């Protein structure tokens, strides 16, 4: 532990919390303003986070609509594409080559 910082000091804790909030806001803005779709999903394919560009690309009103969906069941044109998401253990594929379908079912 760094002896320069006493984490029991309320002022230091407040400064750390403020820095974390600012960092999260910058990261969130960066992802949401990206011109391409960005998402995170669970190993089972449940969408955990998605940006508005992905929602627009897939024909949804906003990213909150996407968070109700499952990649494997609802978005991949071929559910067998989801096999990398079904891997067990701590790691799974970062990249899956897949055809996606839009809200209206079109590719």
């Amino acid at each position: 532990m760094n002896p320069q910082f006493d984490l029991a000091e309320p002022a230091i804790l407040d400064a750390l919390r403020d820095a974390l909030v600012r960092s999260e806001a910058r990261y969130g803005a960066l992802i949401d303003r990206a011109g391409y779709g960005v998402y995170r999903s669970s190993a089972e394919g449940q969408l955990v986070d998605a940006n508005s560009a992905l929602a627009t690309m897939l024909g949804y009103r906003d990213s909150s609509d996407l968070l109700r969906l499952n990649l494997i069941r609802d978005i991949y044109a071929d559910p067998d594409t989801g096999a990398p998401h079904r891997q067990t253990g701590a790691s799974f594929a970062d990249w899956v080559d897949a055809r996606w379908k839009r809200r209206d079912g079109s590719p």
Side-chain angles (χ1 to χ4, degrees):
M1 184 168 189
N2 189 337
Q4 294 176 341
F5 298 105
D6 180 2
L7 295 178
E9 279 292 320
I12 291 176
L13 285 175
D14 288 344
L16 290 172
R17 282 188 199 107
D18 290 346
L20 179 61
V21 167
R22 286 191 310 274
S23 175
E24 288 175 341
R26 282 192 311 270
Y27 172 77
L30 175 69
I31 297 303
D32 201 49
R33 292 179 183 149
Y36 50 87
V38 177
Y39 73 94
R40 287 185 313 128
S41 69
S42 70
E44 295 79 28
Q46 186 62 44
L47 285 168
V48 175
D49 201 3
N51 69 354
S52 57
L54 183 62
T56 300
M57 290 165 47
L58 295 177
Y60 291 88
R61 182 176 44 90
D62 58 39
S63 59
S64 66
D65 289 344
L66 289 177
L67 300 183
R68 296 185 200 112
L69 304 178
N70 181 285
L71 283 171
I72 299 164
R73 182 190 65 234
D74 304 315
I75 297 176
Y76 288 157
D78 178 6
D80 289 336
T81 301
H85 287 283
R86 295 187 189 109
Q87 292 179 4
T88 58
S91 65
F92 54 93
D94 287 336
W95 189 268
V96 176
D97 187 17
R99 278 187 52 161
W100 292 31
K101 59 185 174 186
R102 295 175 45 80
R103 182 177 184 200
D104 64 7
S106 66

